[in-house]
């Protein structure tokens, strides 16, 4: 454990984390707080109360975000934003999201306790629907405030047929006035997000926290291969157009393509596959599967995408299949701000962490779309066994406190320099 004197109040942070984890709780440690649900609303209201108590000016916007603002001496100065999200996966844990929001609030509250009023406003942000589970597309609040929503997003429906529009309405937001909640270009100087690592690197290195140099951007495709069905006993092999044989070649091919450079963090996954008619004695006629391709380097990701598309085409020809590829999402990877990284490197030394681990984020976060309109930075807190999106997700409060302390020191340094 790092021996550092904390400026932030670990006990308060811990109590709030525990109280928030009761909202949407299932089992011993599970959390289900889907975006814009009743539980989400309850979570937002609780955190809003704490923000109010801390003297922040609070509001929810038309994207379903919660914002707590500490006014700056110069209210017009570009905002320093701290935050993350409060929504969860259906079988989520207690830490993914909340540590960034409550950590940000802890930072601002500590500033006030030390009678520090920054030159620029600081906003603590709880972004709505980072996870994307309910309506099938994530980062809603962060894409929203930075003007990056796609056409027709309001008409996306959840499993019960409730559209995003209805859900926003029920939450108390006005889906017809989304634009009024966008932040004007240049109004946010920087966005800093503390998050659990969701991977095993920090645990392996036995370090409580690390800083993030860049965030991978995901490319999501849906591939449809169509051949011809037939009796599994009577259609000779030479005459078959078996869509599943083609799909399995593509899946294995993707796995090889992304492993070309063993030192690169590129990852490729086929996580969902539908076989039609999906019957033991019928040659598969149609296979639909998803591709998730991520990299920190866009040029390399584009190159691999090209290779994959070419390979799919050649497999389709070889197996006499029709092919259709749809692009569902294409988000560029983003580098974190070198300026802020330098501050974090310096400040972590004052906390006794002489060589803070530096890693890239394979998962996307609200910081990714925020990079289009401001500088971004992230810091990671060690995750037990690298597990997340699961009730077993765990980080110790000691580690979270160390992360929050670095967030505080970084904020303090930034409000002097910006
Ligand atoms: Zn998260």
């Amino acid at each position: 454990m790092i021996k550092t004197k904390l400026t932030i109040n670990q006990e308060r942070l811990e109590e709030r984390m525990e109280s928030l984890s009761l909202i949407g709780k299932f089992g011993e440690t599970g959390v289900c707080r889907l975006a814009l649900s009743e539980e989400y609303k309850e979570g937002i209201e609780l955190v809003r109360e704490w923000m109010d108590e801390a003297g922040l000016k609070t509001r929810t916007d038309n994207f379903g975000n919660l914002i707590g603002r500490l006014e700056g001496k110069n209210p017009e100065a570009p905002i320093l934003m701290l935050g993350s999200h409060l929504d969860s996966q259906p079988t989520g844990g207690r830490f993914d999201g909340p540590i960034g929001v409550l950590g940000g609030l802890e930072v601002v509250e500590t500033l006030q306790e030390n009678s520090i009023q920054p030159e620029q406003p600081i906003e603590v942000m709880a972004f709505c629907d980072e996870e994307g589970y309910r309506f099938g597309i994530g980062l809603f609040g962060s894409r929203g405030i930075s003007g990056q929503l796609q056409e027709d997003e309001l008409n996306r429906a959840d499993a019960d047929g409730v559209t995003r529009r209805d859900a926003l309405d029920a939450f108390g937001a006005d889906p017809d006035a989304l634009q009024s909640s966008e932040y004007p270009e240049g109004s946010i100087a920087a966005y800093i997000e503390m998050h659990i690592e969701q991977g095993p690197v920090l645990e392996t290195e036995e370090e409580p926290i690390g800083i993030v140099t860049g965030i991978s951007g995901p490319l999501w495709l849906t591939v449809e291969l169509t051949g011809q069905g037939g009796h599994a006993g009577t259609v000779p092999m030479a005459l078959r157009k078996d869509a599943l044989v083609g799909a399995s070649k593509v899946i294995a091919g993707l796995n090889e393509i992304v492993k070309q450079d063993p030192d690169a963090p590129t990852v490729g996954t086929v996580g969902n596959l539908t076989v039609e008619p999906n019957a033991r004695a019928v040659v598969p006629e149609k296979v639909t599967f998803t591709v998730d391709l991520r990299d920190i380097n866009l040029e390399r990701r584009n190159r691999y995408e090209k290779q994959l598309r070419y390979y799919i085409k050649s497999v389709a020809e070889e197996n006499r299949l029709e092919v259709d590829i749809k692009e569902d999402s294409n988000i560029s990877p983003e580098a974190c701000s070198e300026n802020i990284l330098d501050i974090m490197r310096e400040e972590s030394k004052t906390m006794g962490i002489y060589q803070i681990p530096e890693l890239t984020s394979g998962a996307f976060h609200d910081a990714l779309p925020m990079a289009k309109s401001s500088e971004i930075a992230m810091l990671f807190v060690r995750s037990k066994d690298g597990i997340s999106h699961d009730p077993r997700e765990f980080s110790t409060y000691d580690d979270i406190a160390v992360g929050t302390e670095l967030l505080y020191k970084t904020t303090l340094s930034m409000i002097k320099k910006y």
Side-chain angles (χ1 to χ4, degrees), residues 84-85 96-97 130-131 195 198 365:
S84 194
H85 60 97
D96 177 350
E130 189 272 345
E131 298 287 1
H195 202 277
Q198 307 179 277
H365 297 286

Side-chain angles (χ1 to χ4, degrees), residues 7-16 46-56 68-70 82 101-118 122-124 404 407-408 411-412:
T7 326
I8 60 111
N9 185 336
Q10 178 174 346
E11 204 179 320
R12 177 170 59 198
L13 178 58
E14 203 170 316
E15 273 172 20
R16 286 178 179 166
L46 180 64
V47 174
R48 186 174 189 160
E49 270 172 40
W50 293 330
M51 287 176 165
D52 285 331
E53 279 166 26
L56 303 186
R69 178 175 168 109
L70 173 66
L82 309 173
V101 178
L102 296 182
L105 174 58
E106 185 55 44
V107 165
V108 173
E109 206 158 355
T110 306
L111 284 177
Q112 282 175 297
E113 283 166 353
N114 288 286
S115 311
I116 300 167
Q117 193 197 4
I122 301 182
E123 292 193 351
V124 180
T404 308
L407 191 62
Y408 175 73
T411 303
L412 205 55

